[in-house]
Amino acid sequence: MIGRRAFCWVALCISTVIWGQSIRLEGVVLDSLGVVISTANIVALNKETNRMDSFSISDLNGKFSMSIKKDVPYLVKISYLGFKPVELQRKSSVDLNEVVVMYEQAEQLEGVDVTYEMPVSIQGDTIVYNADSFNTGSEKKLKDVLENLPGIEINADGQIEVEGRQVSKVMVEGKDFFDGDSKIATENIPANAIDKVQVLKNFNEVSQLSGVTNNDDSMAINIKLKDGKSKFWFGELAAGAGEKERVLLNPKVFYYSPKTSINVLANANNVGENPFTRRDYFRLTGGFRNQSNRSGSSIQIQTDDLGLTNLQNNNAASIENDFAATNFSYSAKEGLDFSGFAIFSQNDTRIKSVRERTFTSTGITETIDNDIKQTNTSQLYKFSTLYNVNPNLQLEYDLFFRTSDEQELSDLTSVATRVEDISSDRTQTPKQLSQNLNAYFTLSDTHIFALELQHNAQDENPLFKLQKERILFPNILPLVRGAESYYVQQNRFTRTNKFDGRLEYYYMLNNTASLNMTVGTTQVKQDYDSFMGAYEENVFTRFEEPNLNNNVHYDFSDIYTALSYRVKTGKFTINPRLTLHKYDINTIQASTLRNEETRLLPDVWVSYQMRRSKSLRFTYRAQLQYSDVSRLGEAYTFNNYNRLFLGNSGLKPAYFNNFTLNYFNFNIFNFTNIFIRLNYRKQFDNFKTVNTINGINRESTPFNSPRDEERITLNGRMQKRFNNVKTSLTLRLNKNKSYNIVNGTLRRFDYFTQLASATVATNFKAAPNIELGYSYNINRSTDEDQRLHYITERPFVGLDAAFLKGFIFLAEYSYYDFRLGNTSLNRYDDLRMSLSFNKEDTPWEFGIEATNVLENANINTDNFSGISQTTTRYAIQPRYIYFTLKYFI
């Protein structure tokens, strides 16, 4: 506690001293007639350091305001296109107020010194940030640069978010960088190579379609490299070693030229860095889009069916990683481009946890002490071709393959009505091959055609072995009673072939209106087999009972046609659409079940563009969601050591009404960024489960909820800069009403989560910077018997300081108070520190890093499933201290 208080007091004192050393420079910019000039660029250059200390942009009233240091000489430059630049020499110990008069300039004179570029500019749907205007000098990688920029956030998974939406593509100099994942970019691109960051809103890779489609949920980022970094090799070679046999190897090499780019990344470490996790593997899609979702109808295809335990906050008791990846692009000639990537990753992880699970309907509590060892080897490959020699014709072909080899060994002790030791072994080697062929043809200014074809083939083969002391589900499994132990095995195999195709025709009625006609189809074929058996004296005997063996063939056919009208009138753009679907579904197992139906699904998109950087958008979508074969098999399968699952071939599709309202406002004059996203979802016939709970054992089968369910989510953020001080307020709310059947009774469950956080941070060029923050997280669950209220409070402090011409000190501290209502369950803190030295004009950097400095032993999470309330305590890695050496290329 003493160390924690001292750290916070030091941080607070530093921030007080820093803010006390500044004065205000305010004023108004006018032309020679006394008319205010808006969007003039004002920068303050520190004459002692020859660096830009502060900047401002005049607002609609011509006013500007910035913070500069006391008693330091400054050259203040004011510029505006078409006017002669103005320079002011200022040095003061008190606040200054200026009236700046600018005179028109007939033409730009050769040799005139143009003031620094504007820190932020908005060009249509593109926001351009000049990175150096926001950098403080302590940035190491793209993640650090982006965290300085207003409107951009890095989430807990390392992914980039803009306006609360995840960025789908990262490019460097217009070339794809590991398409389909932004974490690899944020963790690997060096900060010192970045010149500008371009945020591409409403992003569409097909120029022909940019004016006739709505891409409001599509975000991309393009990184512009500094001069001299665009035609040669650059990067860094890093290595580290420390106590407890800790090692780190992390080379990153990049090459960019107008025709070719090559990126090579590697990371081998046992210090807890996670360059590529299981979650990253399943999240990385290679940029492939789910076409069926765009028609309002979708089918859920399971891709992670083994049920392995994921990392908590990217932490575990032990983590060892080996990662290697390469990305390339090559322009063979004008209009013909090739690109792709290859990724290899191996993770060895140990997860130790103590879990307390309470079944809300029965009140029975189970305590589980679990020791898990995971090994995961992943490979991903992508190859793409783009052909657009003719501006009216664009052809694309993509090939994406991924596979992994996973194993999880679990040894746990369950304490409920009695104590029992349980072990399990889960393995799988899934494979997925996806292909994409697209063609876009502009016949004339009024006729545009688009053909998109996609095929996906995947195999899943999860194997589950379970050894228990007590008999498992004696009324279902044919096991011999009275044995000393029971050893069962389950094999499952799922083969999926999915084809999506759509042909679209766009007819431009005039400059502001267009019609879109679509015909498309989704065809899915799945084969699902499962069986289980038991070992006796190391001999496996398969159970022959029909209710323990699945053999299912599933055919899903969706043929649809759609008509939409898009019109722009004033500040409004309106796009209603109707989609007619014809479904034909066959489920073949012991008996054949066929379902044919026709559905009409409406949706509407309305955008109100108040001004260039301020908009309000409303979306309504009717959606139909079908289950894949995983919920339809009418024989039992294991989900876990205490849960059996029985499918339901009679499941109907779930129907959703989605209403979304988005507000966005980015004021470049005072650097205020506001976004709000409100979603209301009404759910009918939603997929739920019938649960029979006996002690800690559970039998489940899916069914369609007889009651309508609701979900309301609110996601908002406001960021504002006061010269060298930046503030941020984030609020996330989620409220759910749902139903399940437990032991024959239909039960309602309400779940509410809230995350509120606020931060204040400095952004000085040549002074220590500090971030002070506080977050308050609520998880509240209510069923018909009880109400649980979990709270996590987290104050945090960050400090970075560049000093003595080459030293950079970084520290991050968080304190967690995890409690149930007013009862504290766990209090812990986390401190990370690093110190590095890089002498100017030398390629070497020396450093020392320390993780978990305060030797915290564990972290907490809570979860409410509608069946049980679970609180888990996870063991995390001990303190590691290690030295690093970097060579900058």
Side-chain angles (χ1 to χ4, degrees), residues 197 263 326 353 362 373 382 556 751 787 830 844 882:
V197 176
N263 310 292
T326 182
S353 65
T362 64
K373 297 178 182 178
K382 184 186 178 185
F556 174 89
Y751 192 47
R787 176 174 179 173
D830 179 56
W844 294 97
Y882 53 97

Side-chain angles (χ1 to χ4, degrees), residues 652-705:
K652 298 186 296 184
Y655 180 77
F656 307 139
N657 280 321
N658 264 301
F659 303 84
T660 305
L661 189 65
N662 289 274
Y663 172 77
F664 172 71
N665 184 4
F666 187 13
N667 190 323
I668 64 172
F669 307 120
N670 58 17
F671 293 102
T672 300
N673 180 283
I674 301 172
F675 86 82
I676 300 172
R677 183 182 180 91
L678 177 64
N679 175 261
Y680 172 72
R681 181 169 177 168
K682 189 84 167 182
Q683 304 170 137
F684 304 91
D685 295 325
N686 200 15
F687 302 144
K688 310 305 291 185
T689 55
V690 178
N691 300 275
T692 302
I693 299 175
N694 181 13
I696 64 171
N697 292 327
R698 174 179 164 196
E699 299 171 35
S700 302
T701 188
F703 77 111
N704 294 105
S705 175

Side-chain angles (χ1 to χ4, degrees), residues 366-367 413-421 469-471 696:
E366 179 189 19
T367 301
T413 300
S414 169
V415 181
T417 55
R418 59 168 287 180
V419 179
E420 182 180 12
D421 292 328
E469 295 175 347
R470 301 182 65 186
I471 191 168
I696 64 171

Side-chain angles (χ1 to χ4, degrees), residues 137-177:
S138 62
E139 294 78 15
K140 301 286 188 179
K141 50 193 175 184
L142 175 61
K143 174 184 176 180
D144 304 324
V145 174
L146 296 180
E147 288 178 333
N148 291 332
L149 306 181
I152 301 180
E153 183 182 26
I154 307 298
N155 65 23
D157 293 322
Q159 302 291 318
I160 306 172
E161 290 185 356
V162 177
E163 298 177 28
R165 287 171 290 172
Q166 194 163 299
V167 169
S168 58
K169 180 184 287 286
V170 175
M171 298 173 286
V172 178
E173 293 290 340
K175 299 177 173 64
D176 289 351
F177 189 88

Side-chain angles (χ1 to χ4, degrees), residues 206-209 211-212 390-394 439-451 503-511 513-517:
V206 184
S207 59
Q208 294 102 312
L209 303 183
V212 294
N390 184 335
N392 295 325
L393 176 64
Q394 179 170 316
Y440 307 95
F441 177 61
T442 302
L443 181 64
S444 66
D445 291 340
T446 57
H447 301 283
I448 303 173
F449 296 88
L451 175 66
L503 175 64
E504 297 188 275
Y505 167 63
Y506 298 89
Y507 175 59
M508 304 300 298
L509 299 172
N510 50 52
N511 291 333
S514 64
L515 281 175
N516 168 226
M517 288 167 278

Side-chain angles (χ1 to χ4, degrees), residues 742-756:
V742 181
N743 289 345
T745 303
L746 181 67
R747 299 170 63 91
R748 171 175 167 174
F749 299 91
D750 291 277
Y751 192 47
F752 174 77
T753 64
Q754 170 198 299
L755 174 62

